[in-house]
């Protein structure tokens, strides 16, 4: 068997239905939606239809959806836009396990003189809510805390965190790039002010995303220019990709519970199979509070990169750390923040599944992994 793709948190294959939905917007419906003539007018309605599809997936009103170019842009837009329209002295609160799409803009703001507090997590990846409570009590704040972690899949109690923030008078943004399409999310039940999602994590192409902005939220546009997106994000709309994101959201909403139970069953089988057939392995992150598609397993005493290399040789794609941090042999900031011991941190592998995986693929991984681990352990200086 070749090409078993278990790296869906890095990016996911584009759904065939999404490709079909996009094609007419390259061939025929290529007008600029802002144009007054027929060419523009005929495509405008498809943007609005896609906006409704995205809104429906998260229980939002379509007017609260702003299309952007990627999850990174959505995160930057939320954090920098909220800080710019907030009163002087506003602080930024985030967590130590955020994606760099959040951590980097926060650290840039720190360099510009803002106070930035990074909340820690425990060894299971759970957020220290006492630290958050203390930070919120110190003054007005913009809070950005992720819905689910891209590396471990650990899901944060966003409803509780958002309530704590609102009670303290703060603004709450959540990076839900890994959660949307994998968990049922309804912004009518969870008082977030802003929420980021990204197309390529839910079977739309790379280069299209959205930011949910609750009605009444004050947000300075970080990309000023034309009047597109109601003045909130300038730039001629990427119509084919917007249509693709809409279709992907419609597909994700369809039967999400049953689909994700099926994905979780494959993930659980993979996890159980690897933990029982490979000694000295451990799961990183609280198994009871995770995305249904993700497992992060440490194969102690061996290098994650070496495992990936051997897996890749037999057609299995997984990842160590996040796609952005792999390439360096340092364990990722997420694994380090959890205090995973050195010999386990270096051998951590993320397997992330999607609805396109099959049980046969899982069996294939379980069949081949023990031999790879055994071979690498035989060479490891850490194994006696
Ligand atoms: N936030 C999280 C949690 C992610 O996992 C990613 C991508 O891996 C991003 C943000 C960035 O999204 P994009 O690749 O669309 O910029």
């Amino acid at each position: 068997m070749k090409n078993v793709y278990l790296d869906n948190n890095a990016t996911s294959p584009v759904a065939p239905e999404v490709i079909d939905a996009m094609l007419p917007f390259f061939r025929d419906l290529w007008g600029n939606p802002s144009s007054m003539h027929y060419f523009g007018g005929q495509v405008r309605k498809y943007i609005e239809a896609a906006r409704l599809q995205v809104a429906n997936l998260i229980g939002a009103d379509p007017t609260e959806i702003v299309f952007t170019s990627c999850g990174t842009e959505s995160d930057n837009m939320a954090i920098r836009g909220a800080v710019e329209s907030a009163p002087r002295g506003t602080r930024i609160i985030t967590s130590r396990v955020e994606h760099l799409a959040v951590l980097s803009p926060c650290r840039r703001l720190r360099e510009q003189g803002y106070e930035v507090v990074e909340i820690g997590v425990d060894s299971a990846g759970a957020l220290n809510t006492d630290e958050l409570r203390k930070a919120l009590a110190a003054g007005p704040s913009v809070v950005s805390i992720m819905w689910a972690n891209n590396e471990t899949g650990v899901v944060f109690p966003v409803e509780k965190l958002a309530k704590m923030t609102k009670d303290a008078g703060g603004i709450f943004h959540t990076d839900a790039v890994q959660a949307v399409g994998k968990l049922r999310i309804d912004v009518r039940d969870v008082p977030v002010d802003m929420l980021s999602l990204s197309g390529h994590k839910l079977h739309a192409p790379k280069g299209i995303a959205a930011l949910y902005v609750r009605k009444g939220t004050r947000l300075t546009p970080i990309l000023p220019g034309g009047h597109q997106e109601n003045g909130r994000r300038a730039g001629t709309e990427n119509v084919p990709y917007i249509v693709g994101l809409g279709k992907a959201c419609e597909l994700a909403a369809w039967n999400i519970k049953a689909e994700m139970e099926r994905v979780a069953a494959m993930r659980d089988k993979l996890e159980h199979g690897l933990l029982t057939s490979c000694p000295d392995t451990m799961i990183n992150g609280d198994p009871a509070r995770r995305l249904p598609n993700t497992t992060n397993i440490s194969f102690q005493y061996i290098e994650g990169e070496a495992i990936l290399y051997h897996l890749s040789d037999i057609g299995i794609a997984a990842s160590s750390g996040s796609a952005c941090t792999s390439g360096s042999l340092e364990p990722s900031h997420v694994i380090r923040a959890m205090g995973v011991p050195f010999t386990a941190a270096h051998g951590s592998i993320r397997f992330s599944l999607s609805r396109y995986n099959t049980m046969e693929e899982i069996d294939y991984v379980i069949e081949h992994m023990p031999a790879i681990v055994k071979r690498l352990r035989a060479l490891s200086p850490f194994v006696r």
Side-chain angles (χ1 to χ4, degrees):
M1 189 180 293
K2 279 280 171 198
N3 300 330
V4 177
Y5 187 73
L6 299 177
D7 200 12
N8 287 277
N9 287 10
T11 196
S12 63
V14 180
E17 298 90 332
V18 169
I19 298 175
D20 290 344
M22 289 169 65
L23 286 178
F25 296 87
F26 293 107
R27 286 203 198 103
D28 309 312
L29 299 163
W30 42 261
N32 184 330
S34 298
S35 301
M36 293 311 293
H37 49 62
Y38 167 77
F39 290 88
Q42 66 174 349
V43 297
R44 213 170 302 135
K45 60 177 182 284
Y46 292 100
I47 294 185
E48 295 321 312
R51 205 184 298 283
L52 180 61
Q53 288 167 314
V54 175
N56 283 344
L57 180 59
I58 58 167
D61 188 272
T63 57
E64 297 173 312
I65 301 297
V66 183
F67 290 114
T68 66
S69 68
C70 56
T72 303
E73 184 188 331
S74 297
D75 288 342
N76 272 266
M77 180 173 167
I79 297 164
R80 289 166 49 200
V83 164
E84 270 196 39
S85 49
R88 266 177 155 267
T90 294
R91 298 144 72 253
I92 299 146
I93 303 175
T94 187
S95 85
R96 284 172 60 195
V97 295
E98 297 298 312
H99 190 275
L100 288 176
V102 165
L103 282 179
S104 294
C106 289
R107 288 170 185 170
R108 171 78 66 87
L109 287 162
R110 178 184 281 151
E111 283 162 21
Q112 292 168 359
Y114 287 91
E115 188 185 340
V116 177
V117 182
E118 294 180 18
I119 310 291
V121 296
D122 66 14
S123 59
L127 193 83
N128 186 332
T129 45
D130 286 338
E131 260 184 58
L132 175 62
R133 194 167 291 113
K134 274 187 210 133
L136 284 168
S141 33
V142 168
V143 179
S144 180
I145 296 180
M146 68 201 324
W147 199 299
N149 189 272
N150 44 302
E151 293 187 35
T152 58
V154 168
V155 174
F156 282 156
V158 172
E159 185 180 349
K160 176 177 163 186
L161 306 178
K163 275 196 184 126
M164 284 169 68
T165 304
K166 299 313 293 173
D167 288 349
I171 305 277
F172 191 89
H173 162 252
T174 185
D175 175 344
V177 162
Q178 294 293 348
V180 171
K182 297 170 190 159
L183 301 175
R184 245 185 54 79
I185 289 182
D186 194 324
V187 293
R188 287 166 297 198
D189 301 335
V190 185
V192 298
D193 295 301
M194 292 175 284
L195 175 152
S196 303
L197 63 95
S198 176
H200 73 113
K201 312 293 186 182
L202 64 144
H203 308 294
K206 288 163 265 300
I208 184 67
L211 181 68
Y212 157 79
V213 185
R214 190 178 293 277
K215 265 187 205 113
T217 306
R218 292 183 56 193
L219 196 66
T220 304
I222 59 160
L223 205 59
H227 301 297
Q228 293 90 352
E229 297 298 286
N230 240 335
R232 293 176 294 189
R233 196 272 186 183
T236 303
E237 297 88 341
N238 186 352
V239 184
Y241 281 57
I242 288 173
V243 169
L245 177 61
K247 186 71 192 176
C249 287
E250 183 192 284
L251 293 172
W254 187 79
N255 227 356
I256 186 166
K257 191 164 174 286
E259 281 289 8
M260 284 303 136
E261 276 171 12
R262 201 171 60 77
V263 169
M266 290 191 280
R267 188 272 313 269
D268 292 348
K269 182 174 184 187
L270 174 68
E271 201 168 73
H272 181 256
L274 296 181
L275 292 186
T276 50
S277 63
C278 306
D280 294 318
T281 45
M282 56 183 256
I283 300 172
N284 295 312
D286 181 356
R289 287 165 185 265
R290 279 181 308 169
L291 292 172
N293 79 318
T294 308
T295 178
N296 188 307
I297 303 179
S298 275
F299 298 86
Q300 297 194 70
Y301 315 122
I302 47 183
E303 266 308 334
E305 270 67 18
I307 300 173
L308 290 185
Y309 179 79
H310 282 78
L311 286 175
S312 171
D313 236 21
I314 53 167
I316 300 168
S319 113
S320 69
S322 72
C324 325
T325 41
S326 63
S328 91
L329 283 180
E330 269 297 292
S332 80
H333 66 282
V334 176
I335 297 294
R336 274 183 286 144
M338 291 164 63
V340 177
F342 174 87
T343 50
H346 279 264
S348 87
I349 299 287
R350 176 187 71 186
F351 297 96
S352 49
L353 286 64
S354 82
R355 62 176 184 263
Y356 294 109
N357 287 118
T358 63
M359 279 294 185
E360 289 71 38
E361 292 177 331
I362 299 306
D363 290 338
Y364 179 73
V365 181
I366 295 172
E367 183 191 333
H368 286 86
M369 195 68 175
I372 293 175
V373 171
K374 202 168 167 202
R375 208 174 319 144
L376 291 172
R377 289 228 174 105
L379 304 171
S380 169
F382 297 107
V383 181
R384 266 160 292 171

